[in-house]
Amino acid sequence: MSGRGFLEVENKKPFKQRSLSLEDLFEYAKSRELKERKESIPTTTNNIPKMKVSVDDTLIVNSNRPHLSYTSDDFDDTSDTDKEISQELSVLTPLSAPDQSFPSNALLSSTDEQEHSSILRPSLTSRDKLSVTRANIPMREGEVLYFKTDEASVVYMNPFGNPVTGYFYITDYKVYFKGNEQDQSTNLQIPLGCVNHVEKVGGKRSRGEYAYGLEIHCKDFRSILLALKLTTEYSRNDIVNMICKLAFIFNSPPGQFFAFRYKPTYPGKYHDGWALADIEKDYQRLKIANGKWRFTSANQNYQLCDTYSKTLVVPASVSDEALRLTTAFRSRNRIPVLSWLKSNGACICRSSQPLPGSLNRRNRDDEQYLQSIMRTNPQTHMIYIFDARPKVNAQANTMKGGGYEQDDNYQNMHITFLDIPNIHVMRESQRKLYELCFNGVDNTNWYTKLEDTRWLEYIRLILDSTNKIVQAVDRDAATVLVHCSDGWDRTAQLTSLAQLLLDPYYRTIEGFEVLIQKEWLSFGHKFNDRIGHGKKNHLDEQRSPIFLQFIDCVWQMIMQFPFDFEFNEKFLLTILQHLYSCLFATFLYNCERERTIFYPVQNFTESLWTYINCQKNLYTNVLYQPQLAQRVLHPVASIRKLDLWTNYYIQWNPRMKPQEAEVERCKELEEIIKVLKKKCSQLEDELHKRKTVEDV
């Protein structure tokens, strides 16, 4: 293929009205994969819409598709609650055109989908299109409307009040319910990225006024039950299939997430959030150029470890060849590398488990490598290894070829097992919490059921483990290595939380963004697998609330140290909101390699950090005291000091909202602080004048 498109992609410079197609992007991904891993990937590119990059890097999808005529053999929904959605819409025709800068930019392809024989999509007249385009719902730039009910024929079964009749809309970004004229205050917006799964409720023969409909289960602790009138023009199958087609797009060609079509305008000064992806600057801030550590180019093309960043810091005494020999003895080739460095030489490193297996194999290169890490710190002659797993789990992993560092094989080493359960246990805990928070908030057995979820117990365990790491680094000036099995879940939780407590820079808005960029994104936390972006199988065993637990732990810290964090609760809520929304590409895909080579998000999408940093005042903690914040924090890891984060987990229940808006109260407090500071200044001036008079 010609180099016309991807030379510009890789150099990451502003585009000058150059054409680029999704077919080129897909072919490029294929060629890089074949080159590096000698594996084949699907090459079917029929009907892939063309893509053009405009002057402002806006992703524009152009495609001409005829409107489908109204041809329907109505489905028999009598038993469809027991059926899987095995047929999906092959072609979706939008009812409205997007903003002028996004001409027809949300049409999906039908590369490998079987054509659906019953697509209920009538051809629209010019008047119909005009009325749909002017539909009174909020629309983002580039957003396209695909479906709307012509009358108030959908009923939202409000679990906290009376049923609400209204209109139902589906766009390429969200599902939207708007109450009718009598209930205009009831508006629901569900980003398609938040959709966990859609369940059909009842059948055509079900009795009851609201017995027939669908339920949308969301990843953000919501469950929306909608009842449909049987006389409606569109069948339930059409609505369910359209939601699934637009929401579950992971196996579609590259660029199908709405983030690739969203180009917002920002108030105030523009801040490029993607600049924070350069973690080399953070390492330079830590002053690693001390002769003990160095940057290595061994992973420049991700050939050393494909789930690590290309920017790695290793002991200066270790050669790149020695690094390559070490990879063979670490799971997923994730060798120990530097995460954080203290001025006195104490440091935090991270890795995956070693691979001694059931035969207790040894690897001299790995053993010598850990000794090299230990020698970078003149304050100690020990290396402290914190294994996040329960010891019994680590021992069980030896039967699968994994394991842990044995005392007999590694000199000057002390290992501590932190007993944090695996992703499957955390997923089950989240499921119980989901059922409790949405369905049983007012239940008399609330505290008993909350305890049964063990959610707060796991939060306590993570905080307690973090405290142990912080004490070893801060009090003992130790060299610390943290790992779990593969080093991208529990390891990321512990290393990032430890740095948050040790380094006040990470407690600023920009610093926290850098921390997430480094410890979670660059070091390969599998966001796509853990969150399930665009994936249909909601029972996938790879899903787990690892990042949610991390944010929950940060919130617990803010509650204990309200003056030490520059950011407020709204900042954390916004991060979680867009963790699922797919409005920004910050949390899309599993590792840096995927986000740079296969799906170059920095060239085509916006960063969440851009959105936040252009309006920092909304996310600033008015109680923040920078002078006080220059200290190491030691949170109390006790159930008695932990609370359920109701503003997140139960945010959809209006009965659980605080009587007084916290944001408004903070603004009032800020004004009071200004008045008091002014009064103090006046009193100081008056006192100074009196002293002057007395001296005379």
Side-chain angles (χ1 to χ4, degrees), residues 562-581:
F563 305 105
D564 291 78
F565 291 83
E566 184 188 19
F567 50 85
N568 56 20
E569 182 185 47
K570 182 179 177 64
F571 177 71
L572 300 180
L573 291 172
T574 301
I575 290 175
L576 288 180
Q577 174 190 350
H578 294 296
L579 171 67
Y580 304 116
S581 72

Side-chain angles (χ1 to χ4, degrees), residues 592-609:
E592 180 183 291
R593 176 171 175 258
E594 291 184 6
R595 284 185 288 270
T596 54
I597 293 182
F598 299 111
Y599 315 99
V601 296
Q602 294 190 32
N603 297 306
F604 297 122
T605 68
E606 288 291 338
S607 167
L608 172 60
W609 314 135

